[in-house]
Each structure stands twice: as C-alpha cells, then as structure tokens.
Amino acid sequence: MKKILKWLGVIILVLLGGVTIATSFRQHITYDAPFPEISASTDSAIIARGRHIVLGPGHCVDCHSNGADKDSLLRAGLEPELSGGYKFELPFGNFYTKNLTPDKETGIGKLTDPEIARIIRYGIHANGEMVLPFMPFQDMTDDDLTAVISYLRKLKPVKNKIPEQEYNLMGKLIRAFMLKPSGPSEAFLNHIKPDTSAVYGRYLSMVVANCNECHTKRDGVGNYIGEPMAGGMIFEEPGKPTLVTPNLTPDSSSRIFGWSREMFIGRFRMGKLIEHSHMPWTAYGRMTDDELSAIYNFLGTLKPVKTGMVDIGED
Ligand code: HEC
Ligand code: HEC
C-alpha cells in the first residue's frame, strides 16, 4: 500500500510538473490569421463616423479611457482621452486596457492599420499572441473598421505606458488551455446600410454595441449558453447589490415588455440610474434615435423567452 502511494505521489508530481511546464510554454502561443486590407482615411465624414462609433455604440471609450470624468465629458459632447490604463480586477488576474492614441512608444502609433484591424477582427496581436477576449467586435464591417481606425489615427498622441497584464495561476491555466482567438462569424457582412431596420439593429446589438455580451447568459470563460438576449448574467461586486441583466426578448416576463419605442429611446436618454451598473449607459446615450429604433425593432424579432423572478435587475 505504501509503495502504491509513493508511486502515486511520483506520478502526480510528474503530471503537475508537466502541466506547469506546458502552461508556461503555452503563455506565448502565436496564432495566424490574415491581415484585413484596411487603411485609414482622411475623409471627414468617415472620421466622424469613427468618432461616433468609438464614443457611442461601440463604447470603446468606456474601457479605453481611465478618467473619472469620462461620463461628464461624454455627456457634454467632448472627447475623453483614450490613453488606456483602466484596470479590471478579475478572478484570473489584473488586466489593463491599452493606449489607443497614436503615440509611437506607448500607443497604437507603432501598429499598422492592418495590424489594428486584425486585433479587432481576429483577436490576434501584431506579434501573433491572442488578444484578451474583452472585445467581441469580430463582425464589424470593413466600413466601420476603417472609420474607427481613421478616427483613432487623428487623436492627439498621449504618452501613457500601460503595465503588463498580470495573470494569476488560474489566469495562466485558462490562457494556456481554454482560450483561443476567434474570427468573424458566419453572419459576417462586409458592408451594411445604417437605417432603422431590424437587420441593422441586429448588427448594432450583436456586433457594435454588444448588448448580447451581457444580456445573453455566458459560462465562466465567455461561451454563450443562454437564449439570445434573455438576460440572466450575474454581476457580483463585494459590498454592492448584485445585478442581474434583464430579459430583453418580447415575452411578458421581459423587462421591456410593453415599452413603446419612445419609452425605450427615452430610457437611453436618462443614462445610468443604478450607480454601479456595468452597462455603458453614457456612451450608448450618444446613439441616435434611428440607431435605438433599429435596436428596438431587432429586439422585437427575437424568440420570446420566459424567464423567472430573477429578472429584477437588482436583488
Ligand atoms: C470591455 C472593455 C473594452 C472595450 C469596450 C474595448 N476594448 Fe479594446 N481592449 C480592451 C483590453 C482589456 C485590451 C487589452 C487586450 C490584451 O492585452 O490582449 C484592449 C486592447 C485593444 C487594442 C490593442 C492595442 C495595442 O496596443 O495592443 C486595440 C487596437 C483596441 N483595444 C481597440 C478597441 C476599439 C476600437 C474598441 C471599440 C470598438 C475597443 N477596443 C473597445 C478592452 C476593451
Ligand atoms: C457590460 C454589460 C452590459 C451591456 C454591454 C449592456 N447591458 Fe443592458 N444592462 C446591464 C445590466 C447589469 C443591467 C441592470 C442594471 C441597469 O439597469 O443598469 C442592464 C439593464 C438594461 C435595461 C433595463 C433598464 C431599466 O431601467 O430597466 C435595458 C433596456 C438594457 N439593459 C438594454 C441594453 C441594450 C439595448 C444594450 C446594447 C445596446 C445593453 N443593454 C448592453 C448590462 C449590460
């Protein structure tokens, strides 16, 4: 018996050693994907479209600006500095957003347009490593990627060195064995006409504004496991009331059941009502009536899903 235990111990040690070595090797795995043929434009209408996406529906500003005053600047129609450094403290480690200004040393000045486009469309850094899965914009059209990059290129360069990402052991294991970059989905379109249709509303909700990222249930590593937009994602923060994303499908158990188009748009004009809500209400509040109308139309086309009593937003 003692002998068996001893051998078991040795086997476990060898296995652990193997996993440790594999984990550290797999931290810097590189991936390959094409570089999208995107190049920044100096056309003022394209830059204006990019500005609108970055500060509005695409809510890049919500993560890539670290200023305490970003919401008030946005509400005043001004541009918070997109110099990054916002810190996410997660069970997997501490992660910082990058500097999106054109500074050559600390920002995206060192990246080419196709390199930036590949980061967003394929989740692969210029050096081939995986981009942390914070940005599900893979299906953004060529036109919108061009607009976003054109706007970023026009920003004032700000020197702001971002700390390295800090993975803990669990983070390293997840990075090594559970995450892989993903590219565009089957629904990917290269061009789309902005209008109030449900088709465009789907593009806004699922690609640009990413409502589904929070309003569809996901597992611990981010895979979608719930019915689209039926809510149920739980946000827990120590010392704060837990938030649950509400159901937005056209069912009587939905939060927005019975909301007219005007009420829906009006809710976005009110901005954040629950102080610690994760929803980027201020950026979304910059969406036009037409954009919100398109989202409203899209939500109306979803499969109605009945949800239980958890659908109270705050509990
Ligand atoms: C939910 C938070 C979040 C949102 C929203 C977000 N980002 Fe990011 N972004 C990050 C994080 C975190 C990183 C760092 C990823 C890494 O280190 O792998 C990052 C990295 C980047 C990079 C890589 C820069 C570099 O120097 O390596 C680019 C480019 C970028 N984001 C552009 C955008 C654009 C454009 C938008 C809006 C369309 C956007 N991001 C929205 C969190 C976000
Ligand atoms: C980062 C996570 C996140 C994203 C992205 C997000 N939401 Fe939410 N949403 C929440 C949370 C959490 C709540 C509950 C707290 C609150 O009301 O702010 C909520 C609440 C709501 C409500 C109910 C508000 C009320 O007062 O009853 C609506 C409507 C809504 N979201 C629509 C949307 C739409 C449409 C989008 C995309 C344009 C979106 N959400 C994107 C997290 C998110």
Side-chain angles (χ1 to χ4, degrees), residues 90 92 133 136 210-237 241-248 255 277-279 307 310-315:
L90 301 178
F92 323 111
N210 273 312
C211 317
N212 63 316
E213 194 191 336
C214 296
H215 285 275
T216 302
K217 230 189 236 170
R218 293 188 294 152
D219 67 13
V221 288
N223 302 310
Y224 290 94
I225 50 172
E227 294 284 355
M229 299 291 194
M233 275 265 289
I234 299 168
F235 290 87
E236 279 176 301
E237 264 181 274
T242 296
L243 295 175
V244 181
T245 54
N247 180 356
L248 302 178
R255 168 64 58 81
S277 173
H278 296 75
M279 182 161 153
T307 44
V310 286
D311 180 27
I312 44 172
E314 199 172 6
D315 66 20

Side-chain angles (χ1 to χ4, degrees), residues 60 63-64 98 100 120 125 131-132 134-135 137 148 165:
C60 321
C63 290
H64 284 279
K98 303 280 188 193
L100 296 188
I120 298 181
H125 281 294
V131 178
L132 282 165
F134 281 83
M135 302 185 289
F137 301 109
V148 164
Q165 309 296 21

Side-chain angles (χ1 to χ4, degrees), residues 1-9:
M1 187 65 186
K2 264 203 184 134
K3 245 193 184 148
I4 294 179
L5 280 182
K6 190 175 135 199
W7 280 111
L8 208 63

